[in-house]
Amino acid sequence: MKLSVNIDHVATLREQRKEGFPSPVFAAFLAIQAGADGITAHLREDRRHTQDEDIMLLRQTVRRLNLEMAAYPEIIDFALKVLPDQITLVPEKREELTTEGGLAVAGNEDKFTPLVKRFKQKGILTSFFIEPDTDEIKAAKQCGGDIVEFHTGKYATAFLNKDTAAAEEELERLFSAFETAHEVGLRVHIGHGLTLENIKPFKGNALIEEASIGHFLICDAVLEGMQTAVYKMREEIL
Ligand code: PXP
């Protein structure tokens, strides 16, 4: 399973103060150095974390760039200029803290089919971020999608709440969706709420090509780096 590291929350920290640091692009560089296979960044309509300039710099520095975005005309135009390797289409609500659910592809084939075609003409792969649902998988295929990223958020929440029955049930839905997606010829990615602990059931599953992980990695990086940061400041002021 490959790992795409989502660096949005480094940009969240920067935007909190708007003083230019920490740099999500430098975080991406460090992630790649540590073995990440690619970088994901979500350009939101309200630009609350990642900015256009970050995406342009990432394009110049990262070999496998996945741009997460909602299908807004302005963002589509930007994406077609920047040319990421992959676009992951997600739903987006202004007030949400993070992407809350999967995209409704079924019923919106007329909207997504020409869009996927435009991306394909520019050599960009299209991934649909969806719930583990057969109708959504079929719709993603019908629209010409290359990849489906299954939303693991419900499973992650059940795991966090120690609701074993709900976690098991959601895992079964996910595993069955992986099979269906594979059968119709879609590549399988997973993402949302994944951690060192809850990723274990997915380990070794040959159907999963990639996991996209952000929040947990950025949180872990903050805690793992705390001692070094304090030692460095102590050294300086001693
Ligand atoms: N995949 C998609 C499509 C997402 O929207 C997100 C959240 O930005 C992630 C993966 C990463 O989720 P998390 O930050 O919970 O690891």
Side-chain angles (χ1 to χ4, degrees), residues 141-168:
K141 180 67 187 173
Q142 200 191 317
C143 292
D146 304 283
I147 302 162
V148 273
E149 180 180 334
F150 289 110
H151 195 317
T152 47
K154 282 201 186 95
Y155 157 69
T157 304
F159 190 96
L160 196 67
N161 295 335
K162 299 190 171 33
D163 186 345
T164 316
E168 287 292 333

Side-chain angles (χ1 to χ4, degrees), residues 6 8 68 88 90 98-99 129 149 191-193 212-215:
N6 182 319
D8 291 335
E68 225 186 277
T88 299
V90 298
T98 181
T99 318
F129 184 52
E149 180 180 334
H192 213 281
S212 171
I213 308 183
H215 188 252

Side-chain angles (χ1 to χ4, degrees), residues 156-194:
T157 304
F159 190 96
L160 196 67
N161 295 335
K162 299 190 171 33
D163 186 345
T164 316
E168 287 292 333
E169 196 180 312
E170 196 55 24
L171 270 182
E172 269 175 36
R173 274 183 75 205
L174 284 160
F175 288 138
S176 150
F178 300 163
E179 299 275 354
T180 310
H182 184 68
E183 276 160 24
V184 301
L186 287 164
R187 290 154 70 175
V188 172
H189 292 189
I190 53 173
H192 213 281
L194 294 172

Side-chain angles (χ1 to χ4, degrees), residues 189-210:
H189 292 189
I190 53 173
H192 213 281
L194 294 172
T195 68
L196 264 184
E197 279 306 310
N198 70 19
I199 203 160
K200 290 191 165 103
F202 300 112
K203 241 171 80 177
N205 187 315
L207 298 180
I208 309 170
E209 183 185 72
E210 184 170 284

